[in-house]
Amino acid sequence: MSVMGCSTTKPAITSAGNTATASLADANASAETKALFYNLMALSKDHTLFGHQHATEYGHGWSGDADRSDVKSVTGSHPAVIGVDFSGFTGRSDEAIQQEKADVRKTVIDTYDRGGVVTVAWHFSNPVSGGGFYWKDSVSLPGVRYIIPGGSANEKYKEILRGVGEWANNTKGKDGKLVPMIFRPFHEFDGDWFWWGKGHTTRDEFISLWRFTVSYLRDSVGVHNFIYAFSPDNKFNTEEQFLERYPGDEWVDLVGMDNYGDMGRDGYRVEVATNKLKIVSDYAKKAGKLAAFTETGLESIPNPNWWNDVLLKVMKSPGMQLCYVLVWRNDKTSPTHYYAPFPGHSSVPDFMKFYNDPFTLFEKDLKKVYERK
């Protein structure tokens, strides 16, 4: 490809490899969803897709521009993975919810129609108390115990899931197919900052919540275009700790980790970050799952060589197989809250080197990831 004065040719990515031992939590997943799963698994052997949260919805100093992202403004290509959020699907007025669903649907469909991949986070507003998705002392209630089967708010949770399912079942590309999505609910559950976090729910309650969520969406609501992603934060050092709240292989398609702390926020602990991510990757290989670095980044990117000296170094460590890495959002108004470069940023030259490395894949590099060969 020839972009912004740099020229590198990357291979066209088209086919899946030998992934016979892997299977989805949803045996009735759509053909496109299965194709994405197997193609991502094949790609992860030699490549990792680059992702950015809210990349095409807004960026550093702008919002709502058609076919724009800060990454595209720098490289000529959107990220391969676009992160969206179901945060606005609850906890607002009906009118606001419907508008949010329409806006997110457009982002998801546009991404699919371009050939990109969608991952969905869920900063879920507490359905049984105030406080939003964060845990707020004296305000928040430990919502998990209320919304799982047997809880007083389980019917309310079913209603919320029906709303999610109805949205998913009406999100189709221009080809008429349902858009596959990597759905990543209840992330960073090993911390205490969210109401579903470790300090506010037991292990059994969390596992019950996960299994109920998957089974209700899949079996009761008929959602067949989700790939289910399990991703704690970085509070583990062994496979046993990583799997402490794991609901079982039959309930998960992708295992991941969120890690900002070891990647520069709290100091550069590249070896520590690598070891933790290797636990995730090794388990995925053993269990027939996808693996991903589901959230990371360095706010404001003060290190101009962060992309290659830190991130790519972790991604390329021996034996690592990640289907994607996603950095967090670029706020539209904050002068400092951003995680991907924009034109003029000091890390642009290093990011272009990262972009042109054959190991990394951006949207322009993806070919027919929703088709199986």
Side-chain angles (χ1 to χ4, degrees), residues 189-261:
F189 53 83
D190 50 338
D192 292 340
W193 44 91
F194 298 135
W195 58 263
W196 57 85
K198 188 173 181 178
H200 317 300
T201 183
T202 68
R203 176 181 179 273
D204 287 347
E205 286 170 348
F206 183 82
I207 290 173
S208 175
L209 172 67
W210 186 279
R211 291 177 177 177
F212 177 77
T213 301
V214 173
S215 63
Y216 194 78
L217 286 170
R218 180 189 65 195
D219 305 330
S220 297
V221 189
V223 174
H224 299 302
N225 50 327
F226 279 179
I227 290 170
Y228 293 94
F230 170 92
S231 68
D233 200 58
N234 66 345
K235 299 181 180 300
F236 63 91
N237 292 292
T238 66
E239 181 183 285
E240 183 181 17
Q241 291 171 345
F242 173 70
L243 296 175
E244 183 200 355
R245 298 195 166 209
Y246 190 62
D249 287 341
E250 66 270 35
W251 301 98
V252 172
D253 302 312
L254 181 153
V255 289
M257 172 183 73
D258 294 5
N259 191 351
Y260 298 91

Side-chain angles (χ1 to χ4, degrees), residues 90-216:
T90 60
R92 302 183 180 189
S93 69
D94 288 344
E95 184 181 9
I97 288 171
Q98 292 311 311
Q99 184 61 56
E100 181 70 8
K101 286 183 174 181
D103 291 345
V104 177
R105 176 177 284 119
K106 185 180 188 309
T107 300
V108 168
I109 290 172
D110 287 350
T111 301
Y112 173 77
D113 287 346
R114 292 191 311 267
V117 178
V118 172
T119 182
V120 181
W122 194 10
H123 288 86
F124 183 9
S125 185
N126 196 320
V128 296
S129 76
F133 53 84
Y134 283 122
W135 179 266
K136 295 185 180 177
D137 289 337
S138 78
V139 175
S140 301
L141 290 175
V144 174
R145 71 185 62 168
Y146 294 92
I147 65 175
I148 58 177
S152 59
N154 182 244
E155 290 300 321
K156 182 175 183 179
Y157 186 47
K158 286 180 181 178
E159 183 182 355
I160 290 168
L161 290 178
R162 285 194 294 271
V164 168
E166 180 186 27
W167 178 89
N169 284 330
N170 286 282
T171 300
K172 298 179 180 180
K174 63 185 178 185
D175 60 3
K177 307 289 188 180
L178 291 170
V179 179
M181 291 167 246
I182 298 166
F183 181 45
R184 192 172 64 95
F186 308 115
H187 67 299
E188 298 177 7
F189 53 83
D190 50 338
D192 292 340
W193 44 91
F194 298 135
W195 58 263
W196 57 85
K198 188 173 181 178
H200 317 300
T201 183
T202 68
R203 176 181 179 273
D204 287 347
E205 286 170 348
F206 183 82
I207 290 173
S208 175
L209 172 67
W210 186 279
R211 291 177 177 177
F212 177 77
T213 301
V214 173
S215 63
Y216 194 78

Side-chain angles (χ1 to χ4, degrees), residues 235-313:
K235 299 181 180 300
F236 63 91
N237 292 292
T238 66
E239 181 183 285
E240 183 181 17
Q241 291 171 345
F242 173 70
L243 296 175
E244 183 200 355
R245 298 195 166 209
Y246 190 62
D249 287 341
E250 66 270 35
W251 301 98
V252 172
D253 302 312
L254 181 153
V255 289
M257 172 183 73
D258 294 5
N259 191 351
Y260 298 91
D262 297 325
M263 297 291 287
R265 186 192 66 193
D266 304 330
Y268 290 102
R269 297 188 288 265
V270 175
E271 186 176 343
V272 172
T274 301
N275 289 340
K276 291 175 182 178
L277 204 52
K278 191 72 164 41
I279 289 168
V280 178
S281 173
D282 287 350
Y283 185 78
K285 284 188 247 183
K286 181 167 61 177
K289 307 299 173 189
L290 297 171
F293 201 169
T294 43
E295 279 185 42
T296 189
L298 182 62
E299 187 176 32
S300 300
I301 327 169
N303 176 355
N305 299 312
W306 185 83
W307 299 103
N308 288 276
D309 289 356
V310 181
L311 182 58
L312 194 60
K313 189 174 181 182

Side-chain angles (χ1 to χ4, degrees), residues 1 8-17 38-51 80-81 281 290-293 312 314-317 319-325 354-362 365-367 369:
M1 82 181 70
T8 298
T9 300
K10 296 188 185 182
I13 307 302
T14 58
S15 61
Y38 289 114
N39 284 327
L40 287 177
M41 188 164 285
L43 290 175
S44 68
K45 292 179 173 64
D46 298 299
H47 305 277
T48 298
L49 281 66
F50 177 75
V81 177
S281 173
L290 297 171
F293 201 169
L312 194 60
V314 172
M315 293 162 60
K316 279 186 164 183
S317 71
M320 192 83 78
Q321 286 188 16
L322 306 174
C323 64
Y324 75 87
V325 57
F354 175 88
Y355 169 74
N356 283 315
D357 193 302
F359 185 80
T360 64
L361 298 180
F362 286 67
D365 304 315
L366 302 182
K367 307 296 180 188
V369 294

